[in-house]
Every structure is written in structure tokens, then in C-alpha cells.
């Protein structure tokens, strides 16, 4: 088997966040299915985005937590 991981950050709307995320996922699945990839699932991973020291302290930003979603696909070789 061959595996592929794709970043998934769906655009959501205020009126229907679940529906817009699901629609985006459906489009992603259809796009990869047409190339022979089978959808396995979505994994969420938490990480810390590093801060930035800026230039001489100007523009300095602190580190912050971020959750990223990864869609996983597979297909036979």
C-alpha cells in the first residue's frame, strides 16, 4: 500500500460551520478518489507554533498552540 497525508483546514461559515466543513471534506475526498486514493480518515494533531524574536525585539511574538487536521488516503501500488 501507498499512503498519502494531506493538510485539511476547511473554510467554515458562521451560518453552517458543520455543513461547510463537510462539503470541503467531500470535495477533498472526491478529488483524491478520482486519482485512485481511498480515504482513511482525518487525524487531529496538536503542536506549538514557535514564537519569533523579531528584529531587536520589535515584532516579537510568543509561541502558541495550534491543532492541525490531516486527511489520510491510501491506494494499492
Amino acid at each position: 500500500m501507498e499512503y498519502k497525508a494531506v493538510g485539511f483546514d476547511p473554510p467554515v461559515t458562521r451560518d453552517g460551520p458543520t455543513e461547510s466543513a463537510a462539503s470541503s471534506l467531500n470535495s477533498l475526498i472526491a478529488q483524491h478518489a478520482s486519482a485512485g486514493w481511498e480515504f482513511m480518515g482525518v487525524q487531529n494533531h496538536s503542536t506549538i507554533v514557535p514564537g519569533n524574536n523579531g528584529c531587536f525585539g520589535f515584532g516579537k511574538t510568543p509561541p502558541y498552540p495550534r491543532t492541525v487536521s490531516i486527511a489520510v488516503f491510501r491506494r494499492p501500488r
Side-chain angles (χ1 to χ4, degrees):
M1 284 291 195
E2 184 178 6
Y3 293 88
K4 180 179 188 177
V6 178
F8 178 64
D9 190 15
V12 293
T13 61
R14 183 177 300 275
D15 296 334
T18 304
E19 292 81 8
S20 60
S23 176
S24 181
L25 182 57
N26 280 335
S27 296
L28 183 69
I29 292 169
Q31 174 189 353
H32 286 84
S34 67
W37 292 96
E38 176 188 359
F39 177 68
M40 299 298 300
V42 173
Q43 301 287 319
N44 293 318
H45 300 277
S46 295
T47 188
I48 300 293
V49 177
N52 182 331
N53 288 330
C55 182
F56 300 110
F58 295 103
K60 182 177 181 178
T61 58
Y64 60 92
R66 168 82 195 241
T67 300
V68 295
S69 298
I70 306 293
V72 181
F73 297 87
R74 73 175 181 185
R75 72 176 173 189
R77 289 189 178 194

